């Protein structure tokens, strides 16, 4: 929601400036929009394989809709699950899995543990899952950053096209001003698209991907500890070793 609010406020400020200037319609030019949007999409697609393009939209949507969790809360949850498994047995965790619908990675980790898979096998499977997820998310961020690079370039190309057309009509001085205005609009559109939409989304996606990777690592450590039937206090020490000082857990203190 904060992403949407930020983008809406940014556009509202620019539109307000256009309206205050008295000529908002002067900023609308369909050919310029087609050059910037169409060109950005086309060139960005060229930069990625068909397989990547099939995987990226879903991963990108998940990153945009991702709600970050506090690593400390995640660590406490894993310690509580570990305590339950130690006191009531692994089978008791079956009742917890349905309540973890928003954390599919944790669901998978606990399911593997309950099914009695070897600890090293659980670790290998989950590490591959983390690597695969991070790889797809990295490509999603790359797509946004690539599009952000292309958009201003397409704006410049559109401006050059407009200038060439303007120079071809220098015999009529009355057309120079309007033609120059239209030529500059493509640069305007490219800058807006790159710096107000694509780059902020890329930054947010990258941060969310990093946060999710940290949480998945905590889930992995917890699942492995539970599979080894370790003392929850030991798990707390392992998790604290993975967390920054400001997010250290003090569950048993």
């Amino acid at each position: 929601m904060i992403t949407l609010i930020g983008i809406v406020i940014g556009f509202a400020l620019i539109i307000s400036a256009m309206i205050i200037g008295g000529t908002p319609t002067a900023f609308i030019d369909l050919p310029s929009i087609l050059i910037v949007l169409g060109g950005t999409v086309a060139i960005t697609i060229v930069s990625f394989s068909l397989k990547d393009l099939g995987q990226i939209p879903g991963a990108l949507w998940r990153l945009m809709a991702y709600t970050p969790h506090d690593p400390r809360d995640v660590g406490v949850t894993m310690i509580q699950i570990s305590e339950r498994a130690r006191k009531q047995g692994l089978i008791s965790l079956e009742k917890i899995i349905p309540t973890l619908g928003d954390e599919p990675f944790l669901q998978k980790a606990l399911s593997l543990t309950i099914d009695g898979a070897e600890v090293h096998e659980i670790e290998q499977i989950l590490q591959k899952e983390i690597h695969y997820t991070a790889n797809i998310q990295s490509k999603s961020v790359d797509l946004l950053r690539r599009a952000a690079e292309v958009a201003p370039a397409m704006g410049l190309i559109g401006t050059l096209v407009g200038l060439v057309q303007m120079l071809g009509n220098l015999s009529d001085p009355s057309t120079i001003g309007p033609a120059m205005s239209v030529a500059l609009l493509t640069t305007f559109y490219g800058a807006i698209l790159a710096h107000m939409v694509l780059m902020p989304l890329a930054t947010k996606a990258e941060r969310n991907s990093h946060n999710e990777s940290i949480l998945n690592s905590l889930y992995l450590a917890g699942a492995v500890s539970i599979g080894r039937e370790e003392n929850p206090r030991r798990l707390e020490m392992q998790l604290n070793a993975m967390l920054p000082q400001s997010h250290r857990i003090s569950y048993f203190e």
Side-chain angles (χ1 to χ4, degrees):
M1 184 58 68
I2 192 65
T3 304
L4 181 61
I5 291 174
I7 292 177
V8 168
I9 291 175
F11 274 96
L13 292 173
I14 290 179
I15 292 173
S16 298
M18 294 177 183
I19 295 174
I20 292 173
T23 56
T25 55
F27 290 88
I28 301 175
D29 183 64
L30 184 57
S32 297
I33 294 175
L34 292 177
I35 289 174
V36 173
L37 289 181
T40 299
V41 171
I43 300 305
T44 302
I45 287 176
V46 171
S47 304
F48 295 86
S49 67
L50 188 61
K51 180 180 178 181
D52 291 339
L53 293 174
Q55 297 172 329
I56 285 175
L60 191 56
W61 171 254
R62 188 169 181 275
L63 282 176
M64 290 298 103
Y66 178 75
T67 301
H69 300 287
D70 189 337
R72 184 188 295 107
D73 294 338
V74 170
V76 170
T77 298
M78 292 310 301
I79 293 173
Q80 291 173 340
I81 294 175
S82 177
E83 281 190 313
R84 176 166 181 160
R86 189 173 178 85
K87 294 177 181 178
Q88 304 178 25
L90 290 176
I91 300 300
S92 65
L93 301 184
E94 290 183 343
K95 298 179 181 179
I96 298 179
I97 293 179
T99 66
L100 303 173
D102 60 337
E103 293 295 341
F105 185 87
L106 179 56
Q107 281 186 320
K108 184 173 185 177
L110 293 181
S111 296
L112 289 170
T113 305
I114 294 171
D115 291 341
E118 296 290 337
V119 173
H120 72 276
E121 184 180 359
I122 295 174
E123 193 169 8
Q124 288 179 351
I125 293 173
L126 296 181
Q127 283 179 343
K128 289 181 180 179
E129 183 77 16
I130 291 175
H131 177 74
Y132 173 79
T133 301
N135 185 45
I136 294 299
Q137 291 176 346
S138 176
K139 290 179 180 177
S140 301
V141 174
D142 289 343
L143 182 140
L144 289 175
R145 293 198 183 281
R146 177 57 179 159
E149 293 174 357
V150 172
M154 294 307 304
L156 179 59
I157 290 173
T159 296
L160 294 175
V161 171
L163 289 176
V164 170
Q165 293 174 341
M166 182 193 71
L167 293 173
N169 294 316
L170 287 179
S171 58
D172 185 1
S174 64
T175 64
I176 294 178
M180 176 65 78
S181 176
V182 171
L184 293 177
L185 280 179
T186 50
T187 298
F188 174 72
Y189 291 149
I192 291 289
L193 181 61
H195 298 289
M196 292 189 63
V197 179
L198 296 173
M199 285 302 293
L201 291 180
T203 301
K204 179 149 193 171
E206 187 175 32
R207 187 180 69 251
N208 285 348
S209 176
H210 177 69
N211 290 340
E212 185 174 1
S213 180
I214 291 175
L215 297 186
N216 286 344
S217 297
L218 297 178
Y219 292 142
L220 169 60
V224 170
S225 178
I226 293 171
R228 290 173 177 165
E229 299 182 356
E230 295 178 344
N231 190 308
R233 291 180 180 272
R234 177 179 173 80
L235 174 59
E236 182 185 46
M237 290 188 291
Q238 291 176 341
L239 295 178
N240 281 334
M242 302 169 62
L243 294 171
Q245 186 68 36
S246 58
H247 289 82
R248 295 291 170 85
I249 304 167
S250 302
Y251 185 79
F252 292 104
E253 293 183 3

